[in-house]
Amino acid sequence: MAIQNLDEASPDVVVIGGGPAGSTVSALLAEKGYDVVLLEKAQHPRFHIGESLLPMNMPLFDRLGVRKEVENIGITKHGGEFVSPWHDHTSLFLFGEAMDKSFPYAVHVRRSEFDELLFRNAGKRGARTFEGHKVTHVDMNAGKGTPDNRALIKVKADDGAETEWRPRFVIDASGRDTVLSNQLDAKKRNPKHASAAIFGHFANARRTPGKYEGNVTLFWFDHGWFWFIPLRDGTTSVGAVASPAYFKRRTGTLTDFLMETIALAPKLAERLKDATLLEGATTTGNYAYDSKFCRGDRFAMIGDAYAFVDPMFSSGVYLAMNSAFASATAVDHWLKGEAKEAEQAFRQFERTMRHGPKMFSWFIYRITSPAIRNIFMNPRNMWRMQEALISILAGDLFRKTPIWPRLMGFKLIYYISCITIMKQSFATWAWRRKNLKASLAVSGLEAPRDAVYEKG
């Protein structure tokens, strides 16, 4: 065990995980003067999927002071395009047409660059940052009976050195490693949704010309949907999301399977006919889950360490960073000994953690249904419902923008539409139920961890 100075090994906060959530909360708390230790198991830059951000990320970058840096490594995304093999036209949604017109764009980024930028920013703000340091065990009761009741965190570095930290508070931002949720037996598989993804980066993919070159495109196909995300360096991220049962059909290499799957979406295949796949294909499980709780005595879980939903609407980074801001407020009060204010802030944090995934999940569960596909492909702004839908796609979930009455109207139209095409709706429901049952049987009880990718 490496010898540590007792004072240096007893910070105010230890943050587990140096992704967007962990780096954000570390920067916010360190800037307030707290001694924050940020532990990242990998070395930056490291690969990560999830390149597309939301307009509501932009004010968070402003508050962190990194907006210009993020825009410098990204390509502007003005909106999203939906492409259906069952429709001759495409459907374009522009963020500038949301109910609040103040957030007309977002960006796509290489996550290796973006995550490192946020991690370095945490260091600049005063956090003590460590890469190649994996948390092996957290004992929240190690200090029981002592005046400050500190937790014990055991860490192993890439060089084999082992260290211990005794923080006042622990924030789990470990992503799909879900360190605390696993250790506390709090992780719950989502019985309503299961998916997996196969993806790669292409050179020379045909993009939308002009101003909307950076728009994200969603292509439906018989087994799920594809993302098409242009990046600043000229490459394009392309991936298919489908049930794990579909992936069981693979007989050849991952690269062959990706290309075979792309062929099932002719309009996407056309945009990739002159493109070259770089470095082969990669696959990962995107199994939805959450935890029984997101906070407890002297700890909190943020981002994917608490819950993960399908990446359909590019919500992951936004929900992670937003949860970091909400947790930082509560932890700040707690560290100051302001018990009443801390409890109020933690309750708001809990509401925030539940609300975001719940809102996106309603759409994700239904995105393959013919009823919602028809609504997306033939949008109408009756009662400003289209503006409200775009607001949700932009991530405007936590402010006072009056989207909720319109969302109720949208849901009503959806359910009426399901009734008018009852036969198709029932067939899709039965197909999805069958796939979900098969997928849960294929995937087993525990969701794959974020670091586990298969390449080939």
Side-chain angles (χ1 to χ4, degrees), residues 140 179-187 292-293 299 301:
M140 295 303 303
V179 170
L180 279 181
S181 191
N182 282 334
Q183 189 170 306
L184 299 174
D185 195 27
K187 190 170 184 176
K292 297 174 184 176
F293 42 78
F299 73 85
M301 307 171 190

Side-chain angles (χ1 to χ4, degrees), residues 192-405:
K192 296 181 180 179
H193 191 71
S195 63
I198 184 169
F199 52 90
H201 290 86
F202 289 80
N204 301 316
R206 181 164 57 83
R207 302 177 174 184
T208 302
K211 177 180 179 180
Y212 300 137
E213 176 189 0
N215 282 7
V216 62
T217 306
L218 181 149
F219 295 83
W220 277 288
F221 74 113
D222 282 337
H223 301 283
W225 61 275
F226 281 93
W227 73 72
F228 183 98
I229 299 174
L231 299 173
R232 187 183 183 90
D233 62 6
T235 61
T236 302
S237 175
V238 178
V241 178
S243 71
Y246 170 73
F247 284 80
K248 288 289 287 184
R249 301 180 182 188
R250 176 169 69 92
T251 56
T253 67
L254 285 177
T255 296
D256 290 340
F257 188 63
L258 174 60
M259 301 311 295
E260 291 167 6
T261 305
I262 288 171
L264 300 178
K267 294 178 182 179
L268 171 61
E270 174 65 22
R271 293 178 70 168
L272 296 175
K273 67 178 183 178
D274 298 319
T276 302
L277 177 63
L278 306 175
E279 300 180 359
T282 304
T283 186
T284 183
N286 288 322
Y287 305 100
Y289 62 84
D290 62 9
S291 299
K292 297 174 184 176
F293 42 78
C294 62
R295 57 109 170 187
D297 181 24
R298 295 166 290 121
F299 73 85
M301 307 171 190
I302 62 176
D304 288 355
Y306 165 69
F308 176 80
V309 294
D310 191 293
M312 167 159 284
F313 297 117
S314 307
S315 60
V317 172
Y318 171 63
L319 292 179
M321 292 186 64
N322 191 67
S323 71
F325 275 86
S327 67
T329 298
V331 174
D332 177 34
H333 285 302
W334 188 91
L335 291 171
K336 290 177 179 175
E338 300 169 347
K340 182 178 179 181
E341 293 83 352
E343 181 60 25
Q344 291 174 343
F346 273 122
R347 288 180 181 177
Q348 178 59 44
F349 166 67
E350 288 177 317
R351 289 190 289 270
T352 296
M353 296 301 290
R354 291 192 299 266
H355 181 64
K358 180 180 178 181
M359 284 302 306
F360 283 111
S361 292
W362 188 91
F363 291 94
I364 289 167
Y365 296 162
R366 295 163 177 81
I367 199 64
T368 55
S369 74
I372 209 162
R373 186 168 58 237
N374 288 338
I375 294 173
F376 270 76
M377 294 304 296
N378 300 285
R380 292 186 299 164
N381 198 29
M382 182 171 57
W383 303 320
R384 300 185 72 186
M385 282 190 290
Q386 182 178 343
E387 292 176 65
L389 175 60
I390 295 173
S391 295
I392 293 171
L393 299 181
D396 194 358
L397 308 177
F398 303 103
R399 303 186 311 142
K400 295 182 179 180
T401 306
I403 62 176
W404 308 115

